[in-house]
Amino acid sequence: MKKIVDFILFSILLLCFSFIIVLGWQVDTLKVVDSEGLVFYDTVLPAFVSFDTSYIHSVEQTEVQDTYVVACGKMWSWEERTKSLKAGMPQQAPRCGRFFMTKDWLVYQGGRLPWNKFYYRIGNSILGRNKASFPYLKEKKLYEIFPNKRIVITVEKKANFLSQKYPK
């Protein structure tokens, strides 16, 4: 009888400790906040998930696409795609990266540039036409939601129980 009671107590303690560990487990979170501090998006992400931004270059009037990967509590500049080399666009591979051309794009990959936070200036329907695709959220026309504003995109590690679970 004592062995059964000990086993039950051990099982209950193990479950309690497991629950506490899961709640305190550090997870990557991605958050998008507008210039007034209103949270547009806040969610927990699995490791190595990506999100994309795009805009129309103000001088060249060609599309530029960027892909970022969230890993280890940071967002990494993973890839940039452009249609032109003019007007301040990159003209060579980033350090620790590579450059190649496809039929439609000039592609810059790598570079080992991590951030916890970056500011993203949003244009309007004439200049910029910024868009973004975040995990669990289809592409959004940011220029319609935040015209002529600046948003802040942050990645941080938080305890699981302190994190939002779904985009707003």
Side-chain angles (χ1 to χ4, degrees):
M1 182 71 174
K2 177 155 173 33
K3 286 184 178 186
I4 293 175
V5 170
D6 288 345
F7 177 76
I8 291 172
L9 284 175
F10 176 77
S11 298
I12 291 171
L13 282 173
L14 186 62
L15 277 172
C16 289
F17 286 131
S18 298
F19 184 70
I20 290 168
I21 288 170
V22 167
L23 286 179
W25 195 266
Q26 296 287 302
V27 293
D28 289 331
T29 61
L30 177 66
K31 189 176 194 176
V32 178
V33 179
D34 73 4
S35 55
E36 283 97 43
L38 181 67
V39 176
F40 170 70
Y41 181 85
D42 187 4
T43 193
V44 172
L45 298 176
F48 304 105
V49 73
S50 66
F51 67 94
D52 299 302
T53 61
S54 68
Y55 61 93
I56 304 299
H57 191 278
S58 61
V59 175
E60 284 295 304
Q61 293 297 304
T62 58
E63 187 174 15
V64 177
Q65 297 178 347
D66 294 297
T67 297
Y68 302 89
V69 173
V70 176
C72 304
K74 297 193 180 293
M75 65 188 109
W76 297 78
S77 178
W78 196 257
E79 181 175 275
E80 182 173 60
R81 295 169 297 283
T82 65
K83 300 259 184 186
S84 168
L85 291 173
K86 300 176 186 169
M89 301 295 225
Q91 296 185 8
Q92 59 189 19
R95 186 174 162 259
C96 302
R98 67 186 191 137
F99 168 77
F100 61 92
M101 297 187 323
T102 67
K103 179 181 169 228
D104 298 319
W105 295 101
L106 305 168
V107 182
Y108 310 85
Q109 287 183 333
R112 298 184 187 165
L113 294 174
W115 300 287
N116 289 100
K117 168 177 24 179
F118 77 87
Y119 299 94
Y120 191 53
R121 183 181 54 85
I122 308 298
N124 52 43
S125 60
I126 298 167
L127 290 173
R129 296 193 295 275
N130 306 70
K131 299 176 192 172
S133 297
F134 297 107
Y136 320 116
L137 196 63
K138 65 181 182 173
E139 182 178 84
K140 295 291 183 183
K141 294 179 180 177
L142 298 178
Y143 65 90
E144 291 178 351
I145 301 167
F146 308 107
N148 302 311
K149 293 187 177 181
R150 181 184 79 172
I151 61 174
V152 182
I153 301 173
T154 58
V155 171
E156 58 185 8
K157 283 218 174 272
K158 289 184 187 172
N160 193 27
F161 77 97
L162 294 175
S163 306
Q164 283 287 115
K165 300 299 187 259
Y166 303 99
K168 292 190 171 199

